[in-house]
């Protein structure tokens, strides 16, 4: 559920795309017993929390959202803060739907692979105590993005919003590329494109080669005088989102500005490199794109399709079927019915079975 206000999130967070949007809430079916077992699906990321309650038979029944991101501290993602938000939302959803027993929960969380130790240690027990959940899957938002986009087919997914990560699997193990944050990576992401666009604006301001007068004018409209830009940007805790807010300006300049067009072509090249690094080498794997960054359209998608065709000639480009919340729902229903085939991995997809199951 990643992304900035001007670079809408996808379908992780982890929430990036061709087929985005929320899981539609539905009225409680008349034949749903009030004591029927059900599932909980969660998408937790930088934009907040999205929560669905449903049943295997009827699918997603109702959804709630919070705009407050789960806190991250010295212990990583804070399970206490996550539960403080989840409990009232889930209580309201179970009352609304009549699903009185939640047997399965899937929590997709941004940062799980590197910041998830406290969640892995404490969240399954907390969900069991609070809701009687018998089995819990803690899932990296890249994996829920993958499941939302491709389901259980082998292939690769590029998830791009403010940040960027590529993830792939041959259904025996996961491979990931990039997703290292705006200081060390996320090459081709919204933050990366925005930073490159602002650098071109500053080059034009200074009179250095590689500058763009068009990007300079748009940067001054958005941020004011360029000498003040570092003071506006560097102290911000949401620097990646601020950088990504300049992406629409780069895209708008690209048709008539070779500097802006080159930035998007370079972003496309980085994305395709990451996709190629994780895509299975054999067979005909599927490749999908998910994330709000792709909503900028042709200036990015056209060079990206060319790069993907050149680097992955054996792969099949397919549209994304859904977003990370859809992926959490998909994993929850597969886990509840015992047909989950996505690879288990402590950092990426970690399943815990409790005493209530």
């Amino acid at each position: 559920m990643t992304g900035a206000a001007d670079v809408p999130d996808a379908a992780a967070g982890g929430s990036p795309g061709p087929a985005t949007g929320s899981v539609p809430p539905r009225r409680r079916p008349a034949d749903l017993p009030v004591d029927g077992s059900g599932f909980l699906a969660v998408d937790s990321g930088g934009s907040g929390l999205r929560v669905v309650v449903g049943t295997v038979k009827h699918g997603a029944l109702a959804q709630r959202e919070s705009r407050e991101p789960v806190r991250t501290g010295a212990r990583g993602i804070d399970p206490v803060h996550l539960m403080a938000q989840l409990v009232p939302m889930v209580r309201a959803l179970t009352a609304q739907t009549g699903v009185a027993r939640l047997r399965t929960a899937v929590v997709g969380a941004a940062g799980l692979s590197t910041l998830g130790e406290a969640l892995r240690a404490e969240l399954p027990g907390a969900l069991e105590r609070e809701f009687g959940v018998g089995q819990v899957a803690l899932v990296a938002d890249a994996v829920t993005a993958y499941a939302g986009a491709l389901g259980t087919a082998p292939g690769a997914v590029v998830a791009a919003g403010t940040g960027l990560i590529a993830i792939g699997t041959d259904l025996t193990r996961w491979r990931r590329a990039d997703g290292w944050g705006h200081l060390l990576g996320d090459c081709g992401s919204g933050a990366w494109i925005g930073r490159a666009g602002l650098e071109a604006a500053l080059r034009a301001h200074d009179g250095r080669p590689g500058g763009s007068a068009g990007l300079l004018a748009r940067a001054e409209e958005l941020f004011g005088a360029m000498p003040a830009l570092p003071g506006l940007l560097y102290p911000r805790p949401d620097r990646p989102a601020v950088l990504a807010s300049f992406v629409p300006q780069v895209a708008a300049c690209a048709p008539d500005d070779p500097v802006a067009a080159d930035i998007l072509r370079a972003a496309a090249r980085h994305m395709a490199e990451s996709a190629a690094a994780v895509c299975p080498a054999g067979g005909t794997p599927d490749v999908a794109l998910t994330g709000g960054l792709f909503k900028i359209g042709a200036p990015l998608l056209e060079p990206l399709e060319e790069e993907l065709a050149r680097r992955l000639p054996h792969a099949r480009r397919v549209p994304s079927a859904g977003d990370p919340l859809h992926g959490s729902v998909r994993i929850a229903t597969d886990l509840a019915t015992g047909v989950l085939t996505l690879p288990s991995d402590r950092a990426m997809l970690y399943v815990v079975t409790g005493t209530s199951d």
Side-chain angles (χ1 to χ4, degrees):
M1 198 168 171
T2 60
D6 294 307
V7 183
D9 192 20
S15 321
T20 64
S22 298
V23 174
R26 296 190 286 169
R27 291 186 178 181
R28 175 175 170 262
D31 62 339
L32 180 65
V34 294
D35 62 344
S37 63
F39 66 76
L40 168 67
V42 178
D43 175 37
S44 172
S47 301
L49 201 64
R50 297 186 296 166
V51 181
V52 161
V53 162
T55 69
V56 171
K57 180 179 179 181
H58 297 97
L61 294 171
Q63 174 181 331
R64 294 213 167 197
E65 300 185 10
S66 165
R67 291 294 181 182
E68 181 182 2
V70 176
R71 287 193 296 263
T72 300
R75 300 172 62 232
I77 303 167
D78 186 347
V80 175
H81 188 227
L82 176 56
M83 285 298 294
Q85 291 202 62
L86 266 186
V87 169
M89 296 169 75
V90 175
R91 294 290 183 214
L93 286 168
T94 53
Q96 177 183 345
T97 60
V99 179
R101 174 72 192 279
L102 298 171
R103 294 188 180 277
T104 301
V106 172
V107 179
L112 180 76
S113 60
T114 54
L115 299 170
E117 281 306 309
L119 279 190
R120 284 186 279 267
E122 299 176 22
L123 194 63
L127 289 170
E128 184 176 19
R129 289 190 299 273
E130 194 68 40
F131 304 118
V133 174
Q135 54 183 352
V136 177
L138 300 177
V139 188
D141 61 339
V143 172
T144 56
Y146 186 100
L150 293 183
T152 57
V157 170
V158 177
T162 297
L164 184 142
I165 188 170
I167 185 167
T169 183
D170 58 3
L171 302 185
T172 63
R173 67 186 182 103
W174 292 104
R175 297 185 66 185
R176 60 166 284 178
D178 213 336
W180 303 121
H182 76 292
L183 292 178
L184 298 176
D186 286 359
C187 297
S189 67
W192 186 95
I193 292 170
R195 190 211 60 78
L198 289 171
E199 180 189 345
L202 289 166
R203 284 179 172 273
H205 174 270
D206 294 345
R208 290 179 289 151
S212 163
L215 290 174
L216 174 59
R218 289 175 177 268
E220 289 176 336
E221 289 176 8
L222 195 61
F223 296 107
M226 287 294 93
L229 181 60
L232 292 174
L233 180 64
Y234 292 162
R236 294 281 294 264
D238 58 344
R239 283 186 303 275
V242 176
L243 291 170
S245 72
F246 197 58
V247 168
Q249 310 305 321
V250 178
C253 285
D256 303 308
D257 184 334
V259 173
D262 284 346
I263 290 170
L264 295 180
R265 277 193 290 268
R269 184 172 64 252
H270 285 307
M271 291 179 186
E273 288 171 350
S274 291
V278 301
C279 189
T284 309
D286 291 340
V287 175
L289 311 174
T290 185
L293 185 59
F294 298 114
K295 292 181 180 180
I296 67 177
L300 176 62
L301 291 175
E302 288 179 359
L304 178 55
E305 295 295 349
E306 293 173 3
E307 290 285 346
L308 289 171
R310 184 167 67 86
R311 296 173 186 275
L312 292 170
H314 68 297
R316 180 180 61 174
R317 271 285 290 115
V318 299
S320 175
D323 71 9
L325 185 58
H326 288 87
S328 288
V329 170
R330 174 65 183 265
I331 294 170
T333 54
D334 285 357
L335 184 60
T337 54
V339 298
L340 183 65
T341 57
L342 293 174
S344 178
D345 180 293
R346 180 174 174 82
M348 306 296 283
L349 197 166
Y350 180 59
V351 178
V352 179
T353 300
T355 58
S356 296
D357 192 43

